[in-house]
C-alpha cells in the first residue's frame, strides 16, 4: 500500500526588529554582498545549507525561536544594522561623472538580453560561463550605477543538477523551481493584474508572464510561459529548461526571449537607447524592433539601419556548436508572417541569417551581426578568431580591419573573492571596492607580509579541502561505496595540515577544453602525483551537456582513473559543479589548470576568478591568458597553431604541461625557507592577484563597453531615431545606391610611381578612379604606408587620405596626395578606395573596398 506524505511549512512571524531581512532576501545584492549572506548563515547554518543558500526560502523555514533570540542578541543586531546601513547606502549612490559623459542616467537605458543569468546558486537560471558572465556584467553595471536592465527567461527547471553514479555516468536531474521561493515577483499590468505579453507562434499566440528581480540598483526582467492560459500544453513547457529540448524548443525560446523581451520592456513603459545582444540567442529582438518601426510606416531597410545603430552584439564562442542555426523550413514556418509584416519577401528575411558555413540555414550570429553596428568578441585572441569566422559579413575588408572588435571579459571580484581576502582588504586597503579601475592601486598587494599571505592561502585551502571532503563523502556514500573505500579516496583531502599542492580543473566538460589532456602520459603523471617528497592532488568538477556524448565520456574516463590504484585519492572527481562549488575551488586550490585546444577558448573566466584569489594559473596561451600572462604571474603552455595532427598536438602539449608541473610548479611550491613557506610561491601568487584584479574585473569590462560601445550606440540611436528616422533613411538609401554601383568601381595609377625619392622630397600620387555613378563624396581613397612588405597590421600602418583633385577627360575622378614619408629607408605603400558616409558607425561597415 502506498501512503501519502503531506508537506507543511511552519513559517515564522518575523520580529519587527528584523523585518528588513525581507528587503535583504529580495534583492539579489545578496549574491555579491557576503555580509548579507553572512547574516542568514549566522542565524542557522545547517538550515542555510539545507535551503541551498537561498535567503527567501530560509526566511520561510527558520524557526521562530532563532529569530526571537537573534532580535535580542546585541552582536547580531549590530551586524544586522551595519549590513542594512551599507545596503541602504549602496542603493542610494549615484553614478560618477565618467559614466554620465557616455550615458545620461535620466534619459538613457541599456537593455541587456541574455538566455542565462548566473547571479547565485539560489537562482538556477544559468548553465556555465556565459550565464555567470551575464550575472557579473549586471552586478558591475549596478556597482557603476548604470541605467541598465537585464532581460532573460525564468526557467521552471533551469539547467540540470548533476550527480555522477558509481559507474562514472553523469545523471541529470531536473527539479521544478517554486518561483515563490526566488527573489523575483511578477510585474503588474495597468489593469492591476499580473502583466502578460504575447508572442505569435505558428497558428497560435503564447502568453508570457513577466517577472522582475532587483539586483542591487538594477532590474532584471524574466519571462516565463508556464501559464494555464496557454492553449497548448507544449507551450507551457517552452521555458522549462535552459538549453533543453530540440531545435523546435530552442527557436520558440528564442522568440520568447527576443520578441517577448522587447514587448515586455514596452509594456513596462521602458525605452532603451542601447540594446545589447549577449550571444546570438536573443537576436530576434532586432526583428521585433524593426517590425515596430515598419508598423509606424518606415521602410524595412530604414528600420534595420535605425535599429542596428543602437545595438551592441557580443559573440562568445568560436566553437560552431555554440552558434544557433535553424533550418530554412523551420524559419519559414515561424517567420513567414513576420516577413510579411516587415514588408519584405521571405528570401530577403532569410538573407539576414545567411552564413557561408551552412548555406541556406539561418544563423543567429549572422542575424545579430547584421542587426547591430557594434560587435565584439571576448578576448584579444577571440576577437581575432571571431573576425575571421564572421568575415563573410564584410567580404572585401581585411580581417584585421573588419568591425568586429573585442572586450576582454572580466569577473565580478566581490562575488568570487574569498571572504577572508575581503576581510583582510577591508582592514588594510579600506577603499578597495572603489579601486576596481585603478591598476596602480593594486600594487598594495605586495605590501601584505609574506607570512600572513601564505598562511591565509593555506587556511583557504584547508577550508576548501574540508568542503571537498564533505561533498566527496556524500557523493560516494550515496553511490554505496564502503566506508573503507571512502576513507581511501578522501585520505589526502582530509589531511588537516593541508600541505599538499592542489591543482584544480573545473569547467564544462566540452571536448575542446581537453580535461583528459593531463592523462596523455600516465606514467609521468603517476610519478608526479605520488612523489613522496612533493606530492600533488588533482580535483576535477564539471558538467557535460546531456546530449554531449563525448563530454560524458570524459567524465567516465576521469572517474575510472580516480579509482585506479595508482591514482586513488590523488585524482578526485566531484559532482554538481555550480557557482557554490566554483567559489570553493577558485578560492582554495593552489594551481588553476586550463588546457583548451587553441584557439577555441573564447575567454575562460574561471582562471580570472582563481587569479584574483592568488591562485596561480597554469594555462594554454588562449583566451584571456593570452593577455593576462606576463611571465611572472603564472605558467604558460604555448599552443600549436591550428592545423597540426590533433594526436601529435595533444601529445606535445601534454608533455609541456607535465614538464612545467614537475620542473617549475612543484619545485617552487615545495621550496620551503626557514620560515616554513615558499617565498617564490608567495611572489608568484601575489603577482597573480595584483595583475588579475585590476585588469580582469567586471567593472573594467563594463567600462570598456560603456566607452567603446554603449556610448557610441547611444549616440547613433539618437541620431537615427530623430526626425522620423531621417538619417537612418538617408544612410539606408545611400548604402543601397553604393551596393548597386560598387562592382563597377576601379582605380588606376596616374603618376610614374618612382621607386626612390630624396630625403625632404614628397611623392606626388595621382589615382584615377572610376566611381560608376558614385560621387567623390561617397568614397575615401587612401594610401597606407608600412615598413613590412606584406604587413596587415592596421596598427603598424600610417593612413593618408587622397583628395579629389579634378575630373579627367573621360569623366573619371582624379584623386591626389603629396605623400611626405615620415620614415627613412625602404617602405611600402598601398592604395585603396572604399565607400564612406559620415553617418556610418564604422568606416568599413558596408564591407566594400577595392585595392589598386
Ligand atoms: C566561471 C564559471 C564557468 C566558466 O568557466 P570557464 O573558465 O569559462 O570554463 C563555468 N561554470 C561555473 C559554475 C563558473 O563559475
Amino acid at each position: 500500500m502506498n501512503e501519502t506524505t503531506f508537506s507543511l511549512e511552519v513559517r515564522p512571524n518575523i520580529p519587527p526588529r528584523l523585518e528588513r531581512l525581507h528587503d535583504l532576501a529580495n534583492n539579489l545584492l545578496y549574491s555579491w554582498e557576503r555580509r548579507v549572506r553572512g547574516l542568514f548563515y549566522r542565524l542557522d547554518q545547517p538550515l542555510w545549507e539545507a535551503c541551498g543558500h537561498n535567503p527567501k526560502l530560509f526566511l520561510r523555514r527558520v524557526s521562530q525561536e532563532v529569530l526571537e533570540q537573534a532580535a535580542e542578541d546585541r552582536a547580531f543586531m549590530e551586524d544586522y544594522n551595519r549590513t542594512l546601513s551599507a545596503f541602504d547606502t549602496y542603493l542610494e549612490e549615484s553614478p560618477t561623472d565618467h559614466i554620465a559623459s557616455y550615458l545620461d542616467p535620466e534619459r538613457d537605458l541599456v537593455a541587456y538580453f541574455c538566455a542565462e543569468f548566473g547571479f547565485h546558486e539560489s537562482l538556477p537560471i544559468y548553465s556555465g560561463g556565459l550565464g555567470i558572465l551575464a550575472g557579473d556584467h549586471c552586478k558591475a553595471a549596478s556597482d557603476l550605477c548604470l541605467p541598465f536592465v537585464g532581460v532573460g527567461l525564468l526557467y521552471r527547471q533551469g539547467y540540470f543538477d548533476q550527480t555522477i553514479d558509481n559507474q562514472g555516468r553523469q545523471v541529470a536531474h531536473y527539479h521544478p523551481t517554486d518561483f515563490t521561493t526566488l527573489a523575483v515577483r511578477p510585474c503588474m499590468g495597468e489593469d492591476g493584474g499580473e502583466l502578460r505579453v504575447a508572442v505569435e507562434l505558428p497558428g497560435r499566440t503564447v502568453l508570457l508572464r513577466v517577472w522582475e528581480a532587483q539586483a542591487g540598483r538594477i532590474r532584471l526582467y524574466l519571462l516565463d510561459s508556464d501559464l494555464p492560459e496557454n492553449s497548448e500544453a507544449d507551450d507551457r513547457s517552452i521555458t522549462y529548461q535552459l538549453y533543453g529540448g530540440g531545435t523546435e524548443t530552442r527557436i520558440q525560446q528564442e522568440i520568447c526571449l527576443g520578441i517577448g523581451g522587447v514587448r515586455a520592456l514596452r509594456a513596462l513603459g521602458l525605452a532603451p537607447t542601447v540594446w545589447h545582444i549577449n550571444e546570438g540567442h536573443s537576436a530576434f529582438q532586432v526583428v521585433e524592433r524593426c517590425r515596430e518601426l515598419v508598423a509606424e510606416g518606415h521602410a524595412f531597410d530604414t528600420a534595420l539601419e535605425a535599429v542596428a545603430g543602437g545595438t551592441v552584439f557580443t559573440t562568445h564562442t568560436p566553437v560552431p556548436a555554440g552558434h544557433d542555426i535553424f533550418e530554412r523550413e523551420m524559419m519559414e514556418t515561424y517567420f513567414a508572417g513576420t516577413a510579411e509584416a516587415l514588408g519584405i519577401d521571405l528570401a530577403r528575411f532569410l538573407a539576414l541569417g545567411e552564413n557561408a558555413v551552412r548555406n541556406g540555414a539561418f544563423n543567429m550570429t549572422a542575424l545579430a551581426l547584421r542587426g547591430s553596428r557594434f560587435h565584439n568578441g571576448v578576448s584579444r585572441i577571440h576577437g581575432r578568431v571571431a573576425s575571421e569566422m564572421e568575415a563573410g559579413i564584410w567580404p572585401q575588408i581585411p580581417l584585421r580591419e573588419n568591425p568586429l572588435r573585442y572586450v576582454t571579459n572580466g569577473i565580478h571580484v566581490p562575488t568570487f573573492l574569498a571572504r577572508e581576502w575581503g576581510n583582510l582588504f577591508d582592514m588594510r586597503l579600506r577603499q578597495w571596492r572603489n579601486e576596481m579601475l585603478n591598476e596602480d592601486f593594486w600594487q598594495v598587494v605586495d605590501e601584505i607580509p609574506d607570512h600572513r599571505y601564505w598562511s591565509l592561502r593555506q587556511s583557504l585551502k584547508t577550508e576548501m579541502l574540508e568542503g571537498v571532503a564533505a561533498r566527496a563523502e556524500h557523493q560516494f556514500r550515496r553511490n554505496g561505496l564502503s566506508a573503507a573505500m571512502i576513507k581511501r579516496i578522501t585520505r589526502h583531502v582530509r589531511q588537516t595540515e593541508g600541505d599538499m599542492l592542489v591543482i584544480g580543473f573545473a569547467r564544462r566538460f566540452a571536448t575542446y577544453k581537453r580535461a583528459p589532456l593531463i592523462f596523455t602520459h600516465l606514467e609521468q603523471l603517476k610519478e608526479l602525483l605520488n612523489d613522496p617528497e612533493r606530492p600533488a592532488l588533482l580535483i576535477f568538477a564539471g558538467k557535460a551537456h546531456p546530449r554531449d556524448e563525448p563530454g560524458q565520456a570524459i567524465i567516465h574516463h576521469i572517474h575510472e582513473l580516480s579509482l585506479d590504484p595508482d591514482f586513488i585519492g590523488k585524482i578526485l572527481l566531484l559532482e554538481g559543479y555550480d557557482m557554490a562549488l566554483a567559489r570553493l575551488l577558485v578560492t582554495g586550490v593552489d594551481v588553476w589548470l586550463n588546457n583548451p585546444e587553441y584557439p577555441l577558448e573564447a575567454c575562460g573566466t574561471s582562471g580570472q576568478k582563481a587569479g584574483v584569489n592568488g591562485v596561480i594559473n597554469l594555462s594554454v596561451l588562449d583566451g584571456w591568458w593570452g593577455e593576462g600572462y606576463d611571465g611572472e604571474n603564472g605558467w604558460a603552455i604555448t599552443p600549436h597553431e591550428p592545423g597540426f595532427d590533433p594526436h601529435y598536438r595533444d601529445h606535445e602539449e601534454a608533455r609541456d604541461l607535465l614538464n612545467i608541473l614537475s620542473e617549475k610548479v612543484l619545485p617552487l611550491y615545495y621550496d620551503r625557507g626557514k620560515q616554513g613557506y615558499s617565498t617564490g610561491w608567495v611572489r608568484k601568487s601575489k603577482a597573480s592577484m595584483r595583475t588579475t584584479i585590476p585588469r580582469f574585473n567586471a567593472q573594467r569590462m563594463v567600462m570598456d563597453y560603456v566607452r567603446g560601445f554603449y556610448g557610441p550606440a547611444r549616440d547613433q540611436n539618437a541620431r537615427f531615431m530623430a526626425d522620423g528616422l531621417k538619417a537612418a533613411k538617408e544612410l539606408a538609401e545611400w548604402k543601397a545606391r553604393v551596393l548597386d554601383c560598387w562592382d563597377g568601381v576601379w582605380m588606376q595609377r596616374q603618376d610614374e610611381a618612382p621607386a626612390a625619392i630624396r630625403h625632404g622630397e614628397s611623392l606626388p600620387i595621382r589615382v584615377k578612379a572610376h566611381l560608376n555613378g558614385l560621387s567623390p563624396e561617397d568614397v575615401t581613397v587612401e594610401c597606407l604606408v608600412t615598413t613590412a612588405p606584406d604587413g596587415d597590421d592596421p596598427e603598424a600602418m600610417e593612413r593618408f587620405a587622397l583628395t579629389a583633385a579634378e575630373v579627367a577627360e573621360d569623366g573619371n575622378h582624379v584623386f591626389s596626395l603629396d605623400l611626405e614619408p615620415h620614415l627613412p629607408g625602404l617602405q611600402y605603400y598601398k592604395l585603396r578606395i572604399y565607400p564612406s558616409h559620415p553617418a556610418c558607425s564604422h568606416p568599413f561597415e558596408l564591407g566594400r573596398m577595392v585595392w589598386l
Side-chain angles (χ1 to χ4, degrees):
M1 251 198 336
N2 279 336
E3 56 209 25
T4 307
T5 310
F6 298 94
S7 81
L8 175 69
E9 199 172 65
V10 179
R11 299 183 182 172
N13 301 304
I14 311 278
R17 297 182 72 186
L18 293 176
E19 204 158 58
R20 297 203 59 207
L21 283 175
H22 282 300
D23 295 350
L24 298 174
N26 278 292
N27 190 319
L28 291 171
L29 184 63
Y30 75 73
S31 68
W32 69 97
E33 192 43 83
R34 283 178 185 270
R35 274 177 293 187
V36 176
R37 299 207 298 275
L39 286 177
F40 297 100
Y41 173 91
R42 256 180 93 168
L43 282 171
D44 184 344
Q45 190 193 340
L47 180 66
W48 175 246
E49 300 299 338
C51 292
H53 307 162
N54 177 337
K56 204 169 162 187
L57 187 60
F58 178 93
L59 277 190
R60 276 176 25 179
R61 299 198 178 155
V62 65
S63 83
Q64 191 70 33
E65 201 187 336
V66 162
L67 289 175
E68 277 166 13
Q69 272 172 9
E72 297 306 320
D73 176 346
R74 273 257 302 279
F76 181 85
M77 287 308 291
E78 264 172 32
D79 193 8
Y80 169 72
N81 286 322
R82 249 198 323 268
T83 306
L84 266 183
S85 98
F87 176 77
D88 291 335
T89 308
Y90 180 89
L91 295 185
E92 279 155 18
E93 272 168 46
S94 48
T96 51
D97 293 345
H98 59 279
I99 299 284
S101 58
Y102 297 97
L103 295 169
D104 177 345
E106 302 301 320
R107 309 236 300 266
D108 287 314
L109 181 66
V110 178
Y112 180 90
F113 281 57
C114 191
E116 47 171 318
F117 285 91
F119 279 88
H120 189 248
E121 57 271 20
S122 60
L123 183 59
I125 56 169
Y126 65 93
S127 89
L130 176 69
I132 289 152
L133 175 89
D136 283 3
H137 195 106
C138 292
K139 291 169 182 177
S142 168
D143 292 343
L144 292 163
C145 308
L146 288 198
F148 187 96
V149 293
V151 179
L153 298 177
L154 188 61
Y155 302 96
R156 180 61 75 182
Q157 302 177 348
Y159 201 55
F160 69 97
D161 287 337
Q162 177 203 49
T163 56
I164 297 171
D165 72 10
N166 61 10
Q167 305 292 311
R169 285 176 303 221
Q170 167 174 289
V171 185
H173 307 267
Y174 290 94
H175 303 292
T177 306
D178 171 3
F179 291 159
T180 68
T181 66
L182 303 181
V184 298
R185 61 203 148 270
C187 293
M188 293 299 161
E190 287 187 339
D191 58 2
E194 282 186 1
L195 182 66
R196 298 281 186 268
V197 294
V199 293
E200 297 78 35
L201 294 186
R204 61 198 195 272
T205 295
V206 173
L207 293 179
L208 300 167
R209 175 163 38 191
V210 186
W211 299 84
E212 175 187 291
Q214 188 76 35
R217 282 183 279 257
I218 65 130
R219 294 209 164 112
L220 184 65
Y221 295 103
L222 301 169
L223 306 172
D224 110 78
S225 71
D226 190 8
L227 296 171
E229 299 100 291
N230 280 328
S231 51
E232 296 199 19
D234 285 354
D235 291 343
R236 295 191 61 159
S237 62
I238 293 173
T239 58
Y240 271 10
Q241 294 176 358
L242 171 58
Y243 307 142
T247 45
E248 186 99 26
T249 304
R250 189 63 82 84
I251 199 172
Q252 294 173 351
Q253 286 190 340
E254 295 187 6
I255 289 170
C256 292
L257 173 61
I259 294 175
V262 174
R263 292 183 183 172
L265 295 177
R266 302 302 189 204
L268 292 161
L270 298 174
T273 50
V274 176
W275 301 74
H276 192 158
I277 301 173
N278 196 47
E279 194 54 305
H281 312 114
S282 61
F284 289 138
Q285 60 144 283
V286 164
V287 173
E288 172 63 6
R289 290 161 55 213
C290 286
R291 193 199 55 78
E292 293 175 335
L293 294 174
V294 170
E296 287 171 18
H298 300 287
F300 172 73
D301 288 338
T302 302
L304 182 60
E305 206 54 57
V307 162
T311 308
V312 178
F313 168 54
T314 305
T315 176
H316 284 266
T317 176
V319 179
H323 296 241
D324 279 316
I325 293 175
F326 299 118
E327 294 305 329
R328 193 197 149 86
E329 293 69 36
M330 186 177 278
M331 286 303 293
E332 193 168 344
T333 313
Y334 281 85
F335 283 96
T338 307
E340 204 173 307
L342 291 170
I344 54 178
D345 61 23
L346 191 67
R348 171 80 180 92
F349 183 83
L350 294 178
L352 292 169
E354 213 164 75
N355 179 295
V357 177
R358 277 276 301 285
N359 246 322
F362 194 93
N363 182 311
M364 292 298 279
T365 304
L367 171 65
L369 287 168
R370 293 193 174 94
S372 62
R373 291 289 173 257
F374 304 91
H375 346 266
N376 68 291
V378 293
S379 68
R380 186 167 59 206
I381 294 172
H382 176 238
R384 206 187 60 226
V385 173
S387 291
E388 285 173 31
M389 270 180 87
E390 311 303 340
I393 305 273
W394 308 278
Q396 296 177 339
I397 308 300
L399 293 181
R400 301 289 290 271
E401 288 187 282
N402 78 22
L404 214 157
R405 295 182 284 157
Y406 74 92
V407 172
T408 304
N409 286 341
I411 57 114
H412 189 255
V413 174
T415 299
F416 290 102
L417 190 70
R419 188 177 54 249
E420 290 77 356
W421 284 123
N423 293 344
L424 182 76
F425 291 179
D426 283 343
M427 243 159 40
R428 300 182 73 101
L429 322 173
R430 279 279 154 95
Q431 285 302 307
W432 66 276
R433 285 164 204 269
N434 300 327
E435 300 290 354
M436 284 298 153
L437 304 171
N438 183 356
E439 261 185 64
D440 295 336
F441 174 84
W442 291 95
Q443 302 298 327
V444 298
V445 166
D446 285 336
E447 290 168 20
I448 303 170
D450 281 3
H451 63 91
R452 180 92 197 268
Y453 187 99
W454 174 268
S455 66
L456 202 151
R457 283 234 31 92
Q458 290 294 324
S459 69
L460 283 171
K461 179 155 84 175
T462 306
E463 200 179 308
M464 179 273 300
L465 289 176
E466 281 165 11
V468 165
R471 281 170 179 262
E473 195 161 313
H474 172 83
Q475 175 177 338
F476 296 124
R477 201 178 297 144
R478 187 207 53 235
N479 281 345
L481 270 65
S482 71
M485 187 66 173
I486 294 175
K487 215 165 156 190
R488 277 183 73 199
I489 296 177
T490 58
R491 70 191 191 281
H492 296 297
V493 284
R494 288 205 174 283
Q495 274 190 345
T496 40
E497 69 269 28
D499 201 5
M500 177 182 292
L501 181 90
V502 180
I503 303 166
F505 185 107
R507 48 183 57 81
R508 264 183 318 120
F509 284 123
T511 40
Y512 77 87
K513 295 195 183 239
R514 295 193 302 189
L517 188 76
I518 198 167
F519 306 137
T520 310
H521 308 286
L522 271 183
E523 276 305 309
Q524 199 180 345
L525 181 65
K526 186 171 88 188
E527 274 174 34
L528 193 148
L529 295 182
N530 296 316
D531 181 340
E533 297 298 310
R534 1 174 266 194
L537 173 70
L538 258 172
I539 300 176
F540 285 94
K543 294 177 177 177
H545 190 281
R547 280 194 305 272
D548 177 6
E549 292 293 333
Q552 302 191 42
I554 292 174
I555 294 178
H556 185 75
H557 184 182
I558 301 174
H559 168 85
E560 299 270 281
L561 281 170
S562 72
L563 297 178
D564 182 305
D566 285 335
F567 291 116
I568 197 156
K570 285 302 181 74
I571 296 177
L572 237 82
L573 173 61
L574 291 179
E575 64 188 16
Y577 188 49
D578 67 355
M579 284 185 80
L581 182 51
R583 280 199 309 275
L584 194 65
L585 295 175
V586 298
T587 52
V589 303
D590 296 302
V591 173
W592 194 253
L593 176 63
N594 190 20
N595 45 40
E597 191 182 320
Y598 172 88
L600 298 183
E601 185 76 294
C603 184
T605 48
S606 62
Q608 303 174 343
K609 299 167 193 167
V612 302
N613 282 289
V615 173
I616 308 180
N617 279 282
L618 162 50
S619 169
V620 166
L621 283 174
D622 195 8
W624 80 284
W625 197 230
E627 294 148 66
Y629 175 63
D630 68 1
E632 304 293 329
N633 59 355
W635 295 278
I637 301 165
T638 310
H640 291 70
E641 286 298 324
F644 279 88
D645 167 42
H647 186 74
Y648 167 79
R649 177 200 61 201
D650 290 356
H651 189 273
E652 291 303 306
E653 292 180 13
R655 186 70 80 197
D656 246 12
L657 161 60
L658 288 162
N659 289 347
I660 292 172
L661 280 173
S662 62
E663 288 160 20
K664 305 218 166 112
V665 179
L666 285 158
L668 189 66
Y669 181 78
Y670 286 106
D671 176 23
R672 301 303 159 83
K674 280 199 294 291
Q675 308 90 328
Y677 62 87
S678 162
T679 48
W681 191 271
V682 170
R683 197 175 317 120
K684 229 181 183 48
S685 168
K686 282 182 172 177
S688 173
M689 180 183 274
R690 159 165 49 74
T691 54
T692 313
I693 292 178
R695 290 183 56 207
F696 300 101
N697 73 73
Q699 286 194 23
R700 190 276 304 145
M701 164 179 74
V702 171
M703 276 315 293
D704 283 354
Y705 278 107
V706 168
R707 288 193 202 98
F709 296 75
Y710 294 164
R714 188 276 305 259
D715 293 343
Q716 283 295 61
N717 183 67
R719 171 184 216 162
F720 289 149
M721 291 300 170
D723 302 328
L725 271 54
K726 186 163 168 282
K729 182 163 187 277
E730 278 172 17
L731 185 60
E733 286 169 359
W734 175 81
K735 285 185 178 177
R737 189 160 61 82
V738 169
L739 290 178
D740 263 356
C741 302
W742 194 253
D743 284 349
V745 170
W746 50 256
M747 287 193 297
Q748 207 175 54
R749 186 92 186 248
Q750 297 281 287
D751 60 284
E752 317 266 277
I757 54 172
R758 289 271 164 202
H759 171 80
E761 289 177 356
S762 66
L763 169 68
I765 300 177
R766 283 171 67 81
V767 170
K768 183 156 87 177
H770 176 67
L771 299 182
N772 201 29
L774 298 176
S775 71
E777 293 76 54
D778 293 326
V779 296
T780 295
V781 181
E782 211 170 53
C783 174
L784 279 77
V785 185
T786 163
T787 51
D790 46 6
D792 65 347
D793 178 5
E795 309 273 286
M797 289 191 241
E798 274 194 285
R799 288 161 62 167
F800 303 92
L802 281 74
T803 46
E806 65 207 43
V807 182
E809 276 171 20
D810 59 6
N812 289 323
H813 292 268
V814 176
F815 290 77
S816 71
L817 166 71
D818 272 340
L819 181 67
E820 293 168 11
H822 297 171
L823 310 163
L826 188 59
Q827 51 206 278
Y828 305 89
Y829 63 99
K830 302 183 212 180
L831 292 155
R832 68 187 185 185
I833 180 170
Y834 55 88
S836 63
H837 190 287
C840 281
S841 309
H842 188 281
F844 308 138
E845 71 183 49
L846 209 41
R848 297 299 187 279
M849 183 178 282
V850 174
W851 299 81
L852 192 69

